[in-house]
Amino acid sequence: MHSPPLSPSHRTRTPPPPPWAGIVCGILAMALLGLVAARWSPLMRLDRDIAEALHRRAVTEPGLVHVNRVLTDWLWDPWTMRALIAVAVVVLWLRGARVLAAWVAVTSLVSSLLQQGIKAAVGRERPRWPDPVDSAHYAAFPSGHAMTAMVSCCLLLWLLHRSGARPWIRRTALAAAGVSVLGVGLTRLYLGVHWPSDVLGGWLLGAALTAFAVAGYERFASRCRADEDG
């Protein structure tokens, strides 16, 4: 039986990655989650010290605050990231890589559900200021902006690699992804709507989820190719 297309090109051979990246990030994310849920004093104190220092600076720099709000509300907003994933899914679907398209879409959906579920379970309050420069709603941990950016950027980089994109395109995309993932975390901290551990938790959870999704797909694709070759 002929298997459905798994990637834009059957000539692409991406070896299954080892699961260690996902395991390490997952362990670190769970450890951080436990510390946040237990309200471990050293972590809470560190979060507060960093957040207060950034807020003191933010209230004196309204121009920089505006730049950060534009970046976090438009360029690096979770819906912007999801829109990029949606475009990639549509392109994959139209090119016949429907299994891969579904895999990417489901991974993005699981990311959203996971972050919302953890937020509800932990119920961590966001920073509160007498003179806030921005506002955000719902629970703080993990940062949805940080997690969505990590998952979306990693998925898009993986797809570029699988498609056989030219090295300079991959390098440019990697640089843009790095700036986006780091930048979105910094904007959330500068605007005083997250604690540092919220952002770190979002990054770790996003990296773990994407690593497992990529490893799972590549193993599935390898089995399908082995069946075709057999």
Side-chain angles (χ1 to χ4, degrees), residues 80-157:
T80 302
M81 295 293 172
R82 292 178 188 128
L84 293 175
I85 292 296
V87 170
V89 167
V90 170
V91 171
L92 289 170
W93 189 273
L94 293 177
R95 294 181 65 182
R98 296 185 175 179
V99 176
L100 180 56
W103 203 285
V104 171
V106 169
T107 301
S108 183
L109 176 61
V110 169
S111 171
S112 297
L113 295 176
L114 180 62
Q115 66 179 253
Q116 293 302 310
I118 295 177
K119 281 177 179 286
V122 176
R124 189 185 197 186
E125 290 190 2
R126 293 178 183 268
R128 293 186 178 182
W129 312 107
D131 49 354
V133 298
D134 200 1
S135 63
H137 306 289
Y138 202 42
F141 185 92
S143 166
H145 279 70
M147 185 171 177
T148 302
M150 177 65 79
V151 171
S152 301
C153 288
C154 286
L155 287 175
L156 293 172
L157 289 174

Coordinates of all heavy atoms in Angstrom, one line a residue, residues 80-157:
T80 N -0.3 36.2 16.1 CA 0.6 36.3 14.9 C 1.4 35.0 14.7 O 1.5 34.6 13.5 CB 1.6 37.5 15.2 OG1 0.8 38.7 15.4 CG2 2.5 37.7 14.0
M81 N 1.9 34.5 15.8 CA 2.6 33.2 15.6 C 1.7 32.1 15.1 O 2.2 31.3 14.3 CB 3.2 32.8 17.0 CG 4.3 33.8 17.5 SD 5.8 33.8 16.5 CE 6.7 35.1 17.2
R82 N 0.5 32.0 15.6 CA -0.4 31.0 15.2 C -0.8 31.2 13.7 O -1.0 30.2 13.0 CB -1.6 31.0 16.1 CG -1.4 30.5 17.5 CD -2.6 30.6 18.3 NE -2.3 30.3 19.7 CZ -2.6 31.1 20.8 NH1 -3.3 32.2 20.6 NH2 -2.3 30.7 22.0
A83 N -0.8 32.4 13.3 CA -1.1 32.7 11.9 C 0.0 32.2 11.0 O -0.3 31.7 9.9 CB -1.4 34.2 11.7
L84 N 1.2 32.4 11.4 CA 2.3 31.8 10.6 C 2.3 30.3 10.5 O 2.5 29.7 9.5 CB 3.7 32.3 11.3 CG 4.0 33.7 11.2 CD1 5.3 34.0 12.0 CD2 4.1 34.2 9.8
I85 N 1.9 29.7 11.6 CA 1.7 28.2 11.6 C 0.6 27.8 10.7 O 0.7 26.8 9.9 CB 1.5 27.7 13.0 CG1 2.8 27.8 13.9 CG2 1.1 26.2 13.0 CD1 3.9 27.0 13.4
A86 N -0.5 28.6 10.7 CA -1.6 28.3 9.9 C -1.3 28.4 8.4 O -1.7 27.5 7.6 CB -2.8 29.3 10.2
V87 N -0.5 29.4 8.0 CA 0.0 29.5 6.6 C 0.8 28.3 6.3 O 0.7 27.7 5.2 CB 0.8 30.8 6.5 CG1 1.5 30.8 5.1 CG2 -0.1 32.0 6.6
A88 N 1.7 27.9 7.2 CA 2.6 26.7 6.9 C 1.7 25.5 6.7 O 2.0 24.7 5.8 CB 3.6 26.5 8.0
V89 N 0.7 25.3 7.5 CA -0.2 24.2 7.5 C -0.9 24.1 6.1 O -1.0 23.1 5.5 CB -1.1 24.1 8.6 CG1 -2.3 23.1 8.4 CG2 -0.4 23.8 9.9
V90 N -1.4 25.3 5.7 CA -2.1 25.3 4.4 C -1.2 25.0 3.3 O -1.6 24.3 2.4 CB -2.8 26.7 4.3 CG1 -3.3 26.9 2.8 CG2 -3.9 27.0 5.3
V91 N 0.0 25.6 3.3 CA 1.0 25.3 2.2 C 1.3 23.8 2.2 O 1.3 23.2 1.1 CB 2.3 26.1 2.4 CG1 3.3 25.6 1.4 CG2 2.0 27.6 2.2
L92 N 1.5 23.2 3.3 CA 1.8 21.8 3.4 C 0.7 20.9 2.8 O 0.8 20.0 2.1 CB 2.2 21.3 4.8 CG 3.5 21.8 5.4 CD1 3.6 21.5 6.9 CD2 4.7 21.1 4.6
W93 N -0.5 21.3 3.2 CA -1.7 20.6 2.8 C -1.9 20.7 1.3 O -2.2 19.7 0.6 CB -3.0 21.2 3.5 CG -4.2 20.4 3.3 CD1 -5.1 20.5 2.3 CD2 -4.7 19.3 4.1 NE1 -6.1 19.6 2.4 CE2 -5.9 18.8 3.5 CE3 -4.2 18.8 5.3 CZ2 -6.6 17.8 4.1 CZ3 -5.0 17.7 5.9 CH2 -6.2 17.3 5.3
L94 N -1.7 21.9 0.7 CA -1.9 22.0 -0.7 C -0.8 21.3 -1.5 O -1.0 20.9 -2.7 CB -1.8 23.5 -1.1 CG -3.0 24.3 -0.6 CD1 -2.9 25.8 -0.9 CD2 -4.3 23.8 -1.1
R95 N 0.4 21.1 -0.9 CA 1.5 20.4 -1.5 C 1.4 18.9 -1.4 O 2.2 18.2 -1.8 CB 2.8 20.9 -1.0 CG 3.1 22.4 -1.4 CD 4.5 22.8 -0.9 NE 5.6 22.1 -1.5 CZ 6.9 22.3 -1.2 NH1 7.2 23.2 -0.2 NH2 7.8 21.6 -1.8
G96 N 0.3 18.5 -0.7 CA 0.1 17.0 -0.5 C 0.7 16.4 0.7 O 0.5 15.2 1.0
A97 N 1.4 17.2 1.6 CA 2.0 16.7 2.8 C 1.0 16.8 3.9 O 1.2 17.5 4.9 CB 3.3 17.5 3.1
R98 N -0.1 16.1 3.8 CA -1.2 16.3 4.7 C -1.0 15.7 6.1 O -1.5 16.2 7.1 CB -2.5 15.7 4.1 CG -2.8 16.5 2.8 CD -4.1 16.1 2.2 NE -4.4 17.0 1.0 CZ -5.5 16.9 0.2 NH1 -6.3 15.9 0.4 NH2 -5.6 17.7 -0.8
V99 N -0.2 14.6 6.2 CA 0.1 14.1 7.5 C 1.0 15.1 8.3 O 0.7 15.3 9.4 CB 0.8 12.7 7.4 CG1 1.3 12.2 8.7 CG2 -0.1 11.7 6.7
L100 N 2.0 15.6 7.6 CA 2.8 16.6 8.2 C 2.0 17.8 8.6 O 2.2 18.4 9.7 CB 4.0 16.9 7.3 CG 5.0 18.0 7.8 CD1 5.6 17.5 9.1 CD2 6.1 18.2 6.7
A101 N 1.1 18.3 7.7 CA 0.3 19.5 8.0 C -0.5 19.2 9.3 O -0.6 20.1 10.2 CB -0.6 19.8 6.8
A102 N -1.1 18.1 9.4 CA -1.9 17.8 10.5 C -1.1 17.7 11.8 O -1.5 18.1 12.9 CB -2.7 16.4 10.3
W103 N 0.1 17.1 11.7 CA 1.0 17.0 12.8 C 1.4 18.4 13.4 O 1.4 18.6 14.6 CB 2.3 16.2 12.4 CG 3.0 15.5 13.5 CD1 3.8 16.1 14.5 CD2 3.0 14.1 13.8 NE1 4.3 15.2 15.3 CE2 3.8 13.9 14.9 CE3 2.4 13.0 13.2 CZ2 4.1 12.7 15.5 CZ3 2.6 11.8 13.8 CH2 3.5 11.6 14.9
V104 N 1.7 19.3 12.5 CA 2.1 20.6 12.9 C 0.9 21.3 13.5 O 1.0 22.0 14.6 CB 2.6 21.4 11.7 CG1 2.8 22.9 12.0 CG2 3.9 20.8 11.2
A105 N -0.3 21.2 12.9 CA -1.5 21.8 13.5 C -1.8 21.3 14.9 O -2.1 22.1 15.8 CB -2.6 21.6 12.5
V106 N -1.7 20.0 15.0 CA -2.0 19.4 16.3 C -1.0 19.8 17.4 O -1.4 20.1 18.5 CB -2.1 17.9 16.2 CG1 -2.2 17.2 17.6 CG2 -3.3 17.5 15.4
T107 N 0.2 19.9 17.0 CA 1.3 20.3 17.9 C 1.0 21.7 18.4 O 1.1 22.0 19.6 CB 2.7 20.3 17.3 OG1 2.9 18.9 16.9 CG2 3.7 20.7 18.3
S108 N 0.6 22.6 17.5 CA 0.3 24.0 17.9 C -0.9 24.1 18.8 O -1.0 24.8 19.8 CB 0.1 24.8 16.6 OG -0.2 26.2 17.0
L109 N -1.9 23.2 18.5 CA -3.1 23.2 19.3 C -2.8 22.7 20.7 O -3.3 23.2 21.7 CB -4.2 22.3 18.6 CG -5.5 22.1 19.4 CD1 -6.2 23.4 19.7 CD2 -6.4 21.1 18.7
V110 N -2.0 21.6 20.8 CA -1.7 21.0 22.1 C -0.9 22.0 22.9 O -1.1 22.1 24.1 CB -0.8 19.7 21.9 CG1 -0.2 19.3 23.2 CG2 -1.7 18.6 21.3
S111 N 0.0 22.8 22.3 CA 0.7 23.9 23.0 C -0.3 24.9 23.7 O -0.1 25.2 24.8 CB 1.6 24.6 22.0 OG 2.1 25.8 22.6
S112 N -1.3 25.3 22.9 CA -2.3 26.2 23.5 C -3.0 25.6 24.6 O -3.3 26.2 25.7 CB -3.3 26.7 22.4 OG -2.6 27.4 21.4
L113 N -3.5 24.4 24.5 CA -4.2 23.7 25.5 C -3.4 23.4 26.8 O -3.8 23.6 27.9 CB -4.8 22.4 25.0 CG -5.8 22.5 23.9 CD1 -6.2 21.1 23.4 CD2 -7.1 23.2 24.3
L114 N -2.1 23.0 26.5 CA -1.2 22.7 27.6 C -1.0 24.0 28.5 O -1.0 23.9 29.7 CB 0.1 22.2 27.1 CG 1.1 21.8 28.2 CD1 0.6 20.7 29.1 CD2 2.4 21.3 27.5
Q115 N -0.7 25.1 27.8 CA -0.4 26.3 28.6 C -1.6 26.8 29.4 O -1.5 27.2 30.5 CB 0.2 27.4 27.7 CG -0.8 27.9 26.7 CD -0.2 29.0 25.8 OE1 -0.6 30.2 25.9 NE2 0.6 28.7 24.9
Q116 N -2.8 26.7 28.8 CA -4.0 27.1 29.5 C -4.3 26.2 30.6 O -4.7 26.7 31.7 CB -5.1 27.2 28.5 CG -5.0 28.3 27.4 CD -4.9 29.7 28.0 OE1 -5.6 30.1 28.9 NE2 -3.9 30.4 27.5
G117 N -4.1 24.9 30.4 CA -4.3 24.0 31.5 C -3.4 24.2 32.7 O -3.8 24.1 33.9
I118 N -2.1 24.4 32.4 CA -1.1 24.7 33.5 C -1.4 26.0 34.2 O -1.4 26.1 35.4 CB 0.3 24.6 33.0 CG1 0.6 23.2 32.5 CG2 1.3 25.1 34.0 CD1 2.0 23.1 31.8
K119 N -1.8 27.0 33.4 CA -2.2 28.3 34.0 C -3.3 28.1 35.0 O -3.3 28.6 36.1 CB -2.6 29.3 32.9 CG -1.5 29.9 32.2 CD -2.0 30.8 31.1 CE -0.9 31.5 30.3 NZ -0.3 32.6 31.1
A120 N -4.3 27.3 34.6 CA -5.5 27.1 35.5 C -5.1 26.3 36.7 O -5.6 26.6 37.8 CB -6.6 26.4 34.7
A121 N -4.2 25.3 36.5 CA -3.8 24.5 37.7 C -3.0 25.2 38.7 O -3.2 25.0 39.9 CB -3.1 23.2 37.1
V122 N -2.0 26.0 38.2 CA -1.1 26.7 39.1 C -1.8 28.0 39.7 O -1.6 28.2 40.9 CB 0.2 27.1 38.3 CG1 1.1 27.9 39.2 CG2 0.9 25.8 37.9
G123 N -2.5 28.7 38.8 CA -3.2 29.9 39.3 C -2.3 31.0 39.9 O -2.7 31.6 40.8
R124 N -1.2 31.1 39.3 CA -0.2 32.2 39.8 C -0.7 33.6 39.4 O -1.0 33.8 38.3 CB 1.2 31.9 39.3 CG 2.2 32.8 39.9 CD 3.6 32.6 39.3 NE 4.7 33.1 40.1 CZ 5.9 33.1 39.8 NH1 6.3 32.7 38.6 NH2 6.8 33.6 40.6
E125 N -0.6 34.5 40.4 CA -1.0 35.9 40.1 C 0.1 36.6 39.4 O 1.3 36.3 39.6 CB -1.3 36.6 41.4 CG -2.6 36.2 42.1 CD -2.9 37.1 43.2 OE1 -2.2 38.1 43.5 OE2 -3.9 36.9 43.9
R126 N -0.3 37.5 38.5 CA 0.7 38.3 37.8 C 1.2 39.4 38.7 O 0.6 39.7 39.7 CB 0.1 38.9 36.5 CG -0.3 37.9 35.5 CD -1.0 38.6 34.3 NE -1.4 37.7 33.3 CZ -0.7 37.3 32.2 NH1 0.5 37.8 32.1 NH2 -1.2 36.4 31.4
P127 N 2.3 40.0 38.3 CA 2.8 41.2 39.1 C 1.8 42.3 39.1 O 1.1 42.5 38.2 CB 4.1 41.6 38.3 CG 4.5 40.4 37.5 CD 3.2 39.7 37.2
R128 N 1.7 42.9 40.3 CA 0.8 44.1 40.4 C 1.5 45.3 40.8 O 2.4 45.2 41.7 CB -0.3 43.7 41.5 CG -1.2 42.6 41.1 CD -2.3 42.4 42.1 NE -3.3 41.4 41.7 CZ -4.4 41.0 42.4 NH1 -4.6 41.7 43.6 NH2 -5.2 40.1 42.0
W129 N 1.2 46.4 40.1 CA 2.0 47.6 40.4 C 1.0 48.8 40.6 O -0.1 48.8 40.0 CB 2.8 48.0 39.1 CG 3.6 46.8 38.6 CD1 3.4 46.1 37.5 CD2 4.8 46.3 39.3 NE1 4.4 45.1 37.4 CE2 5.3 45.2 38.4 CE3 5.5 46.6 40.4 CZ2 6.4 44.4 38.7 CZ3 6.6 45.8 40.7 CH2 7.1 44.8 39.9
P130 N 1.4 49.7 41.5 CA 0.5 50.9 41.7 C 0.5 51.8 40.4 O -0.4 52.6 40.3 CB 1.2 51.6 42.9 CG 2.6 51.2 42.8 CD 2.6 49.8 42.3
D131 N 1.5 51.7 39.6 CA 1.6 52.5 38.4 C 2.0 51.6 37.2 O 3.0 51.8 36.6 CB 2.7 53.6 38.6 CG 4.0 53.1 39.1 OD1 4.0 51.8 39.4 OD2 5.0 53.8 39.2
P132 N 1.1 50.7 36.8 CA 1.4 49.8 35.7 C 1.6 50.5 34.4 O 1.0 51.5 34.1 CB 0.2 48.8 35.7 CG -0.9 49.7 36.2 CD -0.3 50.5 37.3
V133 N 2.5 49.9 33.5 CA 2.7 50.4 32.2 C 1.9 49.6 31.2 O 1.9 50.0 30.0 CB 4.2 50.5 31.9 CG1 4.9 51.4 32.8 CG2 4.8 49.1 31.9
D134 N 1.4 48.5 31.6 CA 0.7 47.6 30.7 C -0.2 46.7 31.6 O 0.0 46.6 32.8 CB 1.6 46.8 29.8 CG 0.8 46.2 28.6 OD1 -0.4 46.5 28.4 OD2 1.5 45.5 27.7
S135 N -1.1 45.9 31.0 CA -1.9 45.0 31.7 C -2.1 43.7 31.0 O -1.9 43.7 29.7 CB -3.3 45.6 32.0 OG -4.0 45.9 30.8
A136 N -2.4 42.6 31.7 CA -2.6 41.3 31.1 C -3.6 40.6 32.0 O -3.7 40.9 33.2 CB -1.4 40.5 30.9
H137 N -4.3 39.6 31.5 CA -5.3 38.9 32.2 C -4.9 37.4 32.3 O -4.1 36.9 31.7 CB -6.7 39.1 31.6 CG -7.0 40.5 31.4 ND1 -7.3 41.4 32.4 CD2 -7.1 41.3 30.2 CE1 -7.6 42.6 31.9 NE2 -7.4 42.5 30.6
Y138 N -5.7 36.7 33.2 CA -5.6 35.3 33.4 C -4.3 35.0 34.2 O -3.5 35.9 34.6 CB -5.6 34.5 32.2 CG -6.0 33.0 32.4 CD1 -7.1 32.7 33.3 CD2 -5.4 32.0 31.7 CE1 -7.4 31.4 33.5 CE2 -5.8 30.7 31.9 CZ -6.8 30.4 32.8 OH -7.2 29.1 33.0
A139 N -4.0 33.8 34.5 CA -2.9 33.4 35.4 C -1.6 33.6 34.7 O -1.5 33.7 33.4 CB -3.0 31.9 35.8
A140 N -0.5 33.6 35.5 CA 0.8 34.1 34.9 C 1.7 32.9 34.4 O 2.4 33.1 33.4 CB 1.6 34.8 36.0
F141 N 1.7 31.8 35.1 CA 2.6 30.7 34.7 C 1.9 29.6 33.9 O 0.9 29.1 34.4 CB 3.2 30.1 36.0 CG 4.3 29.1 35.7 CD1 5.6 29.5 35.7 CD2 4.0 27.7 35.5 CE1 6.6 28.5 35.4 CE2 5.0 26.8 35.3 CZ 6.3 27.2 35.2
P142 N 2.5 29.2 32.8 CA 3.7 29.8 32.1 C 3.3 31.0 31.2 O 2.1 31.2 30.9 CB 4.2 28.6 31.3 CG 2.9 27.9 30.9 CD 2.0 28.0 32.1
S143 N 4.3 31.7 30.7 CA 4.0 32.8 29.8 C 3.5 32.2 28.4 O 4.2 31.5 27.8 CB 5.2 33.6 29.5 OG 5.0 34.5 28.4
G144 N 2.3 32.6 28.1 CA 1.7 32.1 26.8 C 2.5 32.7 25.6 O 2.7 32.0 24.6
H145 N 2.9 33.9 25.7 CA 3.6 34.5 24.6 C 4.9 33.8 24.4 O 5.3 33.5 23.3 CB 3.9 36.0 25.0 CG 2.8 36.9 24.7 ND1 1.7 37.0 25.4 CD2 2.7 37.9 23.8 CE1 0.9 37.9 25.0 NE2 1.5 38.5 23.9
A146 N 5.7 33.5 25.5 CA 7.0 32.8 25.4 C 6.8 31.4 24.9 O 7.6 31.0 24.0 CB 7.7 32.8 26.8
M147 N 5.8 30.7 25.4 CA 5.7 29.3 24.9 C 5.2 29.2 23.5 O 5.7 28.4 22.7 CB 4.7 28.6 25.8 CG 4.5 27.1 25.6 SD 3.5 26.3 26.8 CE 3.4 24.6 26.1
T148 N 4.3 30.1 23.1 CA 3.8 30.1 21.7 C 4.9 30.4 20.7 O 5.0 29.8 19.7 CB 2.6 31.0 21.5 OG1 1.6 30.6 22.5 CG2 2.1 31.0 20.1
A149 N 5.7 31.4 21.1 CA 6.8 31.8 20.2 C 7.8 30.7 20.1 O 8.3 30.4 19.0 CB 7.5 33.1 20.8
M150 N 8.1 30.0 21.2 CA 9.1 28.9 21.1 C 8.6 27.8 20.2 O 9.3 27.3 19.3 CB 9.4 28.4 22.5 CG 10.3 27.1 22.6 SD 12.0 27.5 22.0 CE 12.7 28.3 23.5
V151 N 7.3 27.4 20.5 CA 6.8 26.3 19.7 C 6.7 26.6 18.2 O 7.1 25.9 17.3 CB 5.4 25.9 20.2 CG1 4.7 24.9 19.3 CG2 5.5 25.2 21.6
S152 N 6.2 27.8 17.9 CA 5.9 28.2 16.5 C 7.3 28.4 15.8 O 7.4 27.9 14.6 CB 5.2 29.6 16.5 OG 3.9 29.4 17.1
C153 N 8.2 29.0 16.4 CA 9.5 29.2 15.7 C 10.2 27.9 15.5 O 10.8 27.7 14.4 CB 10.4 30.2 16.5 SG 9.8 31.9 16.5
C154 N 10.2 27.0 16.5 CA 10.9 25.7 16.3 C 10.2 24.9 15.2 O 10.9 24.3 14.4 CB 10.9 25.0 17.7 SG 12.0 25.6 18.9
L155 N 8.9 24.9 15.2 CA 8.2 24.2 14.1 C 8.6 24.7 12.8 O 8.8 24.0 11.8 CB 6.7 24.2 14.4 CG 6.1 23.4 15.5 CD1 4.7 23.7 15.7 CD2 6.4 21.9 15.3
L156 N 8.6 26.0 12.6 CA 8.9 26.6 11.3 C 10.3 26.4 10.9 O 10.6 26.1 9.7 CB 8.6 28.1 11.4 CG 7.1 28.6 11.5 CD1 7.0 30.0 11.8 CD2 6.3 28.1 10.3
L157 N 11.3 26.4 11.8 CA 12.6 26.1 11.5 C 12.8 24.6 11.1 O 13.5 24.3 10.1 CB 13.5 26.3 12.7 CG 13.8 27.8 13.1 CD1 14.6 27.9 14.4 CD2 14.5 28.5 12.0

